[in-house]
């Protein structure tokens, strides 16, 4: 079983992962992976949180990890993705891959006999979304009915995965962005099959009643390493400026609103420093929960693949 997309997990499966995470957090489980288990982290983009947390997750589960920069592999000289996947399956028990193109990840997984985990592609960031939803559940004591307003670039990977996970679990999404930056139509259609997704171009309307305000960089890391040049980055800074999460934006939302960001953040662009570092921010809980959720995902995939 692979975890390439939120679509790969049912609502019950996501809840099973949250249960494992709870047990780990509460110290109720001594679960570990089979002795000698190894995770390959195959990354073609930079990472701080996802890389380090997966490495520590494996260590805490009694396994080990190998970080592989794609540039240092024979893939950089043209070895096919399919051959690389077959070779890695001979040596390791899991692969977590961060790839530019989601289709490359799918091809890798199709040729892998060990579980492959999406550690971010241009289309999705599903491990981030499970950590995000887990964080919301802990902070609000519920997921169902929670209204999450995502501001800024709503056509990117983190938003795609979050809207699928949130709606599947009964939360509502409000997507808030300029009309010239609409959401990914496939992800919007799928999320609307699961639940409520409203779209706004006004911060005041879009944030009304929001329990969570979620934002991310105006040019996501999948864009900044390839598709979006510096002119586009500057254009986005201007167009998205009214969608900055700042003290005024918080006043449009529920008085108990909490603020989320997957990090890394650009203080002063998509979010102000006072909000990111302020009392409404749960970004550090989000980052912390990546570790326990990744442990839970690894345990779950290990059990399902046994
Ligand atoms: N949120 C996130 O994926 O961070 P990294 O890019 O540092 O892994």
């Amino acid at each position: 079983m692979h975890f390439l997309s939120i679509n790969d997990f049912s609502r019950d499966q996501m809840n099973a992962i949250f249960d494992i995470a709870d047990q780990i957090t509460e110290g109720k489980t001594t679960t570990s992976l089979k002795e000698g288990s190894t995770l390959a982290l195959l990354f073609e983009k930079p990472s701080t949180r996802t890389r380090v947390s997966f490495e520590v997750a494996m260590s805490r589960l009694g396994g080990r990890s190998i970080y592989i920069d794609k540039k240092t592999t024979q893939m950089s000289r043209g070895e096919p993705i399919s051959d690389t996947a077959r070779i890695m399956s001979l040596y390791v028990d899991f692969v977590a891959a961060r790839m530019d193109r989601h289709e490359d990840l799918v091809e890798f997984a199709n040729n892998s006999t060990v579980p492959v985990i999406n550690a971010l592609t241009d289309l999705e960031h599903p491990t981030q979304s499970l950590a995000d939803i887990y964080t919301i559940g802990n902070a609000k004591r519920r997921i169902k009915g929670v209204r999450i307003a995502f501001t800024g670039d709503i056509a990117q990977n983190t938003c795609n995965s979050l809207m699928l996970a949130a709606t599947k679990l009964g939360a509502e999404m409000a997507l808030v962005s300029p009309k010239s930056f609409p959401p990914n139509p496939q992800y919007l259609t799928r999320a609307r099959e699961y639940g409520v997704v409203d779209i706004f171009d006004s911060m005041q309307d879009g944030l009304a009643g929001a329990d969570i305000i979620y934002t991310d960089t105006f040019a996501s890391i999948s864009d900044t390493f390839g598709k979006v040049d510096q002119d586009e980055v500057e254009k986005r800074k201007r167009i998205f400026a009214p969608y900055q999460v700042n003290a005024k934006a918080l006043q449009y939302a529920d008085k108990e609103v909490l603020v989320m960001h997957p990090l890394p953040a650009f203080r002063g662009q998509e979010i102000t420093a006072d909000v990111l570092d302020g009392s409404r921010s749960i970004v550090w809980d989000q980052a912390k929960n990546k570790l326990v959720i990744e442990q839970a995902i690894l345990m779950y995939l290990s059990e399902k693949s046994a």
Side-chain angles (χ1 to χ4, degrees):
M1 179 179 200
H2 304 302
F3 182 34
L4 309 185
S5 165
I6 291 293
N7 288 320
D8 294 334
F9 283 161
S10 66
R11 182 181 171 182
D12 286 348
Q13 288 175 308
M14 287 193 277
N15 281 325
I17 287 167
F18 298 147
D19 287 344
I20 297 170
D22 280 343
Q23 286 169 25
I24 294 170
T25 304
E26 292 160 14
K28 288 186 185 157
T29 178
T30 52
T31 330
S32 56
L33 295 167
K34 79 174 161 47
E35 201 177 340
S37 290
T38 304
L39 165 73
L41 289 155
L42 176 62
F43 277 40
E44 72 178 313
K45 299 185 228 245
S47 169
T48 299
R49 281 146 287 272
T50 310
R51 174 192 173 171
V52 175
S53 53
F54 261 116
E55 294 216 34
V56 175
M58 278 305 283
S59 166
R60 291 201 178 169
L61 294 172
R64 71 191 70 180
S65 56
I66 307 169
Y67 178 77
I68 306 159
D69 180 343
K70 189 192 158 198
K71 288 197 294 293
T72 67
T73 71
Q74 299 290 9
M75 288 168 86
S76 67
R77 296 174 62 236
E79 184 167 25
I81 290 171
S82 52
D83 286 359
T84 308
R86 289 175 68 182
I87 292 299
M88 287 221 188
S89 301
L90 301 174
Y91 304 140
V92 304
D93 304 280
F94 308 91
V95 177
R98 173 167 285 200
M99 293 191 164
D100 279 323
R101 290 158 24 113
H102 193 83
E103 63 203 69
D104 287 349
L105 181 73
V106 171
E107 186 182 351
F108 190 100
N110 285 343
N111 289 280
S112 171
T113 56
V114 300
V116 176
I117 300 166
N118 180 351
L120 183 143
T121 63
D122 56 343
L123 287 184
E124 284 209 43
H125 199 357
T127 61
Q128 179 70 49
S129 297
L130 291 193
D132 294 341
I133 296 286
Y134 187 67
T135 305
I136 293 169
N138 285 345
K140 294 284 182 189
R141 309 313 310 165
R142 67 192 168 98
I143 299 296
K144 202 168 163 49
V146 169
R147 190 163 174 88
I148 306 167
F150 195 109
T151 72
D153 182 3
I154 57 171
Q156 46 91 299
N157 44 23
T158 302
C159 186
N160 288 342
S161 292
L162 184 64
M163 74 171 141
L164 291 182
T167 52
K168 243 181 183 178
L169 292 161
E172 294 179 6
M173 291 291 299
L175 307 181
V176 193
S177 77
K179 280 199 169 76
S180 53
F181 281 84
N184 177 305
Q186 280 87 31
Y187 281 89
L188 177 64
T189 301
R190 178 58 75 93
R192 280 184 163 161
E193 287 166 10
Y194 298 137
V196 174
V197 184
D198 299 319
I199 301 176
F200 301 90
D201 63 352
S202 146
M203 284 287 268
Q204 186 156 9
D205 295 341
L207 300 188
D211 301 297
I212 302 288
I213 300 176
Y214 196 118
T215 193
D216 197 353
T217 50
F218 290 154
S220 83
I221 63 169
S222 59
D223 293 331
T224 41
F225 290 87
K227 290 187 224 154
V228 175
D229 61 19
Q230 198 53 38
D231 287 347
E232 176 69 13
V233 170
E234 294 306 319
K235 184 179 120 189
R236 286 180 181 218
K237 279 188 204 168
R238 283 194 306 279
I239 291 175
F240 286 120
Y243 299 86
Q244 183 188 66
V245 176
N246 52 33
K248 185 177 172 198
L250 265 56
Q251 288 175 359
Y252 299 142
D254 185 85
K255 65 180 187 336
E256 302 294 329
V257 71
L258 298 173
V259 175
M260 301 180 74
H261 190 306
L263 304 176
F266 292 104
R267 289 174 174 81
Q269 288 187 30
E270 72 275 8
I271 190 165
T272 54
D274 60 317
V275 171
L276 187 77
D277 300 312
S279 61
R280 294 272 138 215
S281 170
I282 53 170
V283 301
W284 313 108
D285 294 331
Q286 252 182 292
K288 184 177 175 193
N289 284 333
K290 283 171 76 89
L291 172 55
V292 72
I293 284 294
E294 287 158 6
Q295 285 176 263
I297 291 168
L298 289 162
M299 286 306 308
Y300 187 81
L301 292 178
S302 161
E303 283 162 19
K304 290 292 163 197
S305 306

